[in-house]
Amino acid sequence: CGTLLAASEAPPAPPPHPALALEQRTSPQVSDAPPDFPPEDLVASLEPAPAPAEPTSPAEEPEVPEVSAIRPASLWRRSAAAQIDGGVILALTFVGVIAVVLTVRAAAEIGRVPERAVLSIAIVASLIAWVVLSGAYHIAFVGSRGQTVGHRAMGIRVVQVAGGDMGYGRAAVRWAGIVVANLTFGLGYLPILLTPTRRGLHDFLSGSIVVEA
């Protein structure tokens, strides 16, 4: 009885400290349930993307089929074409010179031109006729078709080195290069013999090459 009385008369337990009570209210509640994990699809989407593949070595690169190389026209074809074109231009020049001579003779007979000047006028007229007719012939045919009469007969063609038709501008530059090559006693034609692409001075100036058609 004395023990029970002493227990009933024991003082009540003191209230918890305010700081401890606040910590208990703000501390997260730990649950005994197992944590929820995101689905596998979400995890896979969050994974970093694989690094790009390293470039393959030259030995492992796929082979690219080679483009068929341009076949420069042979020397004998170019020479024969030049002879044919020279004959055509000579015939046109001859017709032009005959017309000029007849005109000058008629003027001399009526006293408009001195008799001694007929020969000089004929020579100058021949040179002018050759330059004009050969230039017009070359520029017209090469600029429009890439082939003169001689080129067409020998199965060759003048094209740009980068590919494509020449056009009248490049054809005019090429003809000017031919004139320069002739004025240098044929030195402008030497690269045709020394280079694998068989291009002369006129070809280098105009960016052209003569190929088999």
Side-chain angles (χ1 to χ4, degrees):
C1 291
T3 304
L4 294 175
L5 182 60
S8 62
E9 294 178 357
H17 194 273
L20 295 177
L22 179 62
E23 182 178 358
Q24 290 178 358
R25 289 195 302 268
T26 58
S27 60
Q29 298 295 328
V30 179
S31 176
D32 295 336
D36 296 333
F37 293 98
E40 295 181 358
D41 295 342
L42 180 59
V43 175
S45 63
L46 295 177
E47 291 181 356
E54 297 181 357
T56 58
S57 60
E60 299 177 356
E61 292 181 355
E63 296 182 359
V64 179
E66 296 183 358
V67 181
S68 58
I70 296 177
R71 298 179 58 184
S74 60
L75 295 177
W76 76 269
R77 287 179 182 269
R78 295 189 64 169
S79 178
Q83 298 300 322
I84 295 174
D85 290 334
V88 173
I89 295 173
L90 183 61
L92 295 175
T93 304
F94 180 77
V95 173
V97 169
I98 292 299
V100 171
V101 170
L102 293 177
T103 303
V104 173
R105 288 298 299 269
E109 290 178 358
I110 62 177
R112 297 285 183 89
V113 177
E115 188 70 25
R116 61 179 180 274
V118 174
L119 180 60
S120 300
I121 294 176
I123 294 175
V124 173
S126 300
L127 294 176
I128 294 176
W130 179 85
V131 172
V132 173
L133 291 175
S134 63
Y137 173 83
H138 184 89
I139 295 172
F141 280 95
V142 175
S144 61
R145 310 171 53 179
Q147 289 179 312
T148 60
V149 175
H151 292 155
R152 187 176 182 83
M154 300 309 301
I156 59 180
R157 183 183 181 87
V158 183
V159 297
Q160 297 184 38
V161 176
D165 296 333
M166 289 289 292
Y168 294 105
R170 289 180 179 272
V173 174
R174 190 175 191 272
W175 175 77
I178 292 176
V179 174
V180 173
N182 291 327
L183 293 177
T184 57
F185 303 99
L187 293 178
Y189 298 111
L190 283 180
I192 298 177
L193 304 175
L194 303 177
T195 59
T197 54
R198 301 190 181 99
R199 300 173 65 199
L201 173 64
H202 49 295
D203 293 315
F204 283 106
L205 293 177
S206 60
S208 64
I209 184 172
V210 183
V211 298
E212 295 184 3

